[in-house]
Amino acid sequence: MPKTADLVVIGAGVVGAAAAWFATLAGLRVVVVDRGAIAGGTSGAGEGNVLVSDKEPGPELELARYSRQVWGEDLGPYGEWWEFERKGGLVVASTPAALGALRTLAERQRAHGVVVREVSGAELHALEPRLTREAAGGALYPQDAQVQPMLAAAHLLRLARGRGAVVRTGTEVVGFLRRTGSMVISGGGDAGVPVTGVRTPHGTVSAPAVLNAAGTWAGAVAALTGVELPVLPRRGFVLVTEPLPPATVRHKVYAADYVDAVASSDAELQASPVVEGTGGGTVLIGSTRERVGFDRRPSPAAVRALARGAIGLFPMLASVRAMRVYAGFRPYCPDHLPVIGPDPRAPGLWHACGHEGAGIGLAAGTGKLIAQALTGEATDLDLRPFAPERFEEGGADEPRGE
């Protein structure tokens, strides 16, 4: 374990990995620590969405558009490593009323730079021949894309190591180094005292900046410094089918009510179908949301909802076998916005967390913005909407859109 660094990143998921890569590109000496394995948390249990289609106009949509650009341009040369697919998203409305709501959302998104095209019911089947014939119409979002998140985290960290970063898995942060006057102490939760590094069972690392990219555990990490960060786990399941012929499902296809499910703060089980194929032929079926803490127990109700929703979009899936189902936890914030930037309540502590189910897509942009801010550059986006102290100012209850 190095004794010193310019930046310690807590978390080896895709957000922490992206931040580490862009920080090393900016010339910083980086140490990444994670109590588990690379992509061992939320990054290893997601579908790999890189979406603009499911975002209402506002700060999150701006971050999504920016991050999609970073994935395609800054990280474009490495896209094959993490199976970056520009497959596009197809949002399906089952009724004329749902189609009208989708049309209104698309018009608002288009005004903010999103590329979207309305699709008639007849054209839906040219785009997705196996889609239900009951759909009223939809919208095509060609900017939507897909990555394999575990590969993305692993390769971004490999790139960072190639520029000198040190990655230590199985290394939990158990406390922080703090500075009182001219003395560095191994302190506890004392808000307002500058953070100057981390303590682990394998030694300490001194650094002027520590980035909390711990996903669903980000709140617990922040609490070690005495600051409150309301990042909570929100469980979701993914159903995986047996391999099917290529192009059985050509796009990321989801029902129009998925946007409402993403924006909801309801603690009870919610399900809205999301169906997509993979390079290996399996079909991934999401998505459910519920706040049950870190309970990983299988939920028959959630699995039934996934299967029922998928068959509603693609009736032929009724005869397809499911191979497995797995669960993950989205790092959820009350206002559905991530936390990105320095924390004035504990100088030296930075955050890149709380992205909920959009973390894979937003990771690239988040990592680049963090690196810009750490090195004193003007950030490409205004980070104030994502400020960690906003929860103390009452902003956590405000809507995330316009």
Side-chain angles (χ1 to χ4, degrees):
M1 180 75 74
K3 297 295 184 183
T4 64
D6 298 319
L7 172 67
V8 175
V9 178
I10 305 172
V14 69
V15 173
W21 165 238
F22 283 107
T24 60
L25 277 182
L28 299 183
R29 295 175 302 131
V30 177
V31 173
V32 180
V33 295
D34 195 300
R35 69 179 185 177
I38 292 172
T42 301
S43 295
E47 297 175 73
N49 295 335
V50 182
L51 303 183
V52 297
S53 57
D54 63 339
K55 311 293 190 298
E56 294 274 359
E60 190 184 27
L61 177 58
E62 296 309 306
L63 178 58
R65 292 180 57 239
Y66 174 73
S67 195
R68 172 62 179 84
Q69 177 183 329
V70 176
W71 276 115
E73 296 179 6
D74 300 68
L75 298 176
Y78 314 106
E80 290 186 0
W81 294 2
W82 41 74
E83 300 177 6
F84 184 83
E85 292 184 76
R86 297 172 175 82
K87 61 172 57 177
L90 187 62
V91 185
V92 178
S94 58
T95 66
L99 182 59
L102 176 59
R103 186 178 293 128
T104 298
L105 173 63
E107 289 173 354
R108 295 175 61 225
Q109 292 171 322
R110 192 178 292 113
H112 288 264
V114 174
V115 179
V116 54
R117 178 169 65 84
E118 186 173 344
V119 178
S120 67
E123 191 180 359
L124 279 175
H125 306 112
L127 294 169
E128 288 288 349
R130 295 170 178 82
L131 191 69
T132 176
R133 300 288 168 172
E134 303 298 321
L140 179 65
Y141 290 83
Q143 292 165 305
D144 283 357
Q146 180 82 13
V147 299
Q148 214 292 355
M150 289 181 285
L151 290 177
H155 283 299
L156 284 166
L157 288 174
R158 183 164 71 89
L159 287 168
R161 282 197 297 264
R163 297 187 64 88
V166 175
V167 180
R168 291 288 181 266
T169 54
T171 302
E172 183 176 4
V173 170
V174 296
F176 286 83
L177 303 181
R178 318 297 293 271
R179 181 177 296 280
T180 301
S182 61
M183 182 180 299
V184 174
I185 61 173
S186 183
D190 300 316
V193 180
V195 169
T196 61
V198 300
R199 292 191 297 117
T200 80
H202 307 295
T204 63
V205 184
S206 296
V210 176
L211 179 65
N212 176 13
T216 46
W217 296 278
V221 169
L224 293 174
T225 70
V227 302
E228 183 178 354
L229 202 66
V231 178
L232 302 170
R234 202 177 186 195
R235 187 175 70 182
F237 288 92
V238 175
L239 191 62
V240 185
T241 75
E242 62 184 318
L244 300 177
T248 296
V249 180
R250 301 175 180 180
H251 303 80
K252 180 180 291 292
V253 182
Y254 64 85
D257 62 353
Y258 173 77
V259 177
D260 292 332
V262 169
S264 170
S265 297
D266 199 328
E268 300 303 317
L269 175 66
Q270 299 175 71
S272 183
V274 181
V275 181
E276 63 189 303
T278 68
T282 58
V283 172
L284 304 181
I285 298 170
S287 78
T288 64
R289 283 171 164 76
E290 55 188 329
R291 297 214 310 270
V292 293
F294 285 100
D295 185 353
R296 285 188 177 272
R297 289 176 297 178
S299 168
V303 175
R304 283 195 295 268
L306 288 174
R308 185 167 53 246
I311 292 169
L313 282 177
F314 291 91
M316 58 85 186
L317 289 175
S319 61
V320 172
R321 292 175 295 181
M323 292 198 305
R324 66 186 181 104
V325 62
Y326 60 91
F329 298 98
R330 302 173 180 89
Y332 160 84
C333 281
D335 61 356
H336 300 279
L337 287 177
V339 184
I340 305 171
D343 196 324
R345 302 169 297 177
L349 177 66
W350 293 63
H351 301 287
C353 55
H355 296 77
E356 201 170 335
I360 307 302
L362 302 181
T366 297
K368 186 173 181 179
L369 290 167
I370 284 287
Q372 290 172 341
L374 281 166
T375 54
E377 290 186 37
T379 54
D380 291 333
L381 290 183
D382 184 0
L383 295 183
R384 285 177 294 180
F386 312 110
E389 69 272 22
R390 72 184 188 266
F391 300 100
E392 294 187 353
E393 300 168 355
D397 296 326
E398 296 174 2
R400 64 176 182 166
E402 291 178 320

